Amino acid sequence: MKQKSWARRVAAAAAVALALTACSASPPALLKADGVARLAADRSAYPAELAQLRASARTLGAALLADGGDAGNGNVVASPGSLLIALAMLRAGASGDTAAEMDSALGLPSAHRDEAMNALLASLDAFNGDPGSVDEKNPPRRPVLHSANGLFVDKGVPTGDGYLRSLAQYYGAGVYPVEFLDEDVTKPAIDAWVNQNTGGRIKKAPAKYSRENTFSLLSAGGLAPLNVVRFDRPFHYEIVHVETGLPLFMGRVSDPRSS
């Protein structure tokens, strides 16, 4: 009887230890090129490229809305602007046929793509803030926009120095080296990144975790404040960054009662 009681206590203690470990997980460490200053491109120098980026974001948004919800009929919100930034970061490391296919499918500029994206990001950075600091009951008068993109790369797959330099120069970013085979460590770390970059509103990565992954791309976006307006009929909406014309969010409400 004493042995069973002792075993239960050990099991309970182990469960508590595991729970504390899961709760204390931190996002992975960022690997970024050393000594590379972020470019400060002039937005006025790339009007044609910025127009292509806006068109690409709208195409992405339309595809996300068409594919989302309940068989295309549910309430859906998407962040095409944030997704475009994430894909542009991915494109910076592509070459050959892969690069050509991405440019064709996404409608990306054939030249000065990264410079134009750098200028666009600088405009968005003026509104950057911590989504977790927003008091929903007393939101700030000035909008808080947060867009984060995580490139999680398996440590067994080398990341080229040229790619790291491009990410640092144009996007002020890097990659997060992880070990996908070590799910007990990597999954909580990625979930912690999601939790941090959504201000605690999303606790876990939405995509199904796979130990066979060698690469994972996550995009998180948030905007506050938003005035809630009630409608009694289905509608579509867009939230656009006025200065650049980039569609930050696009949504469809098919059933206003459940929104």
Side-chain angles (χ1 to χ4, degrees), residues 21 33 42 45 86 92 103 121 143-144 162 176 181 188 190 194 222 230 236 252 257 259:
T21 299
D42 182 0
D103 289 346
L121 287 171
V144 173
Y176 296 95
L181 285 175
I190 293 177
V194 172
R230 296 296 179 184
H236 288 70
R252 180 188 67 240
R257 293 170 300 177
S259 61

Side-chain angles (χ1 to χ4, degrees), residues 7-27:
R8 290 193 188 98
R9 292 176 183 175
V10 171
V16 171
L18 287 172
L20 289 175
T21 299
C23 291
S24 61
S26 300

Side-chain angles (χ1 to χ4, degrees), residues 15 38 40 60 65 79 88 119 128 142 168 176 182 205 215 223 234:
R38 184 174 177 179
L60 285 171
L65 294 186
S79 179
N128 187 46
R142 179 180 174 84
Y176 296 95
D182 192 353
F215 177 84
L223 176 67

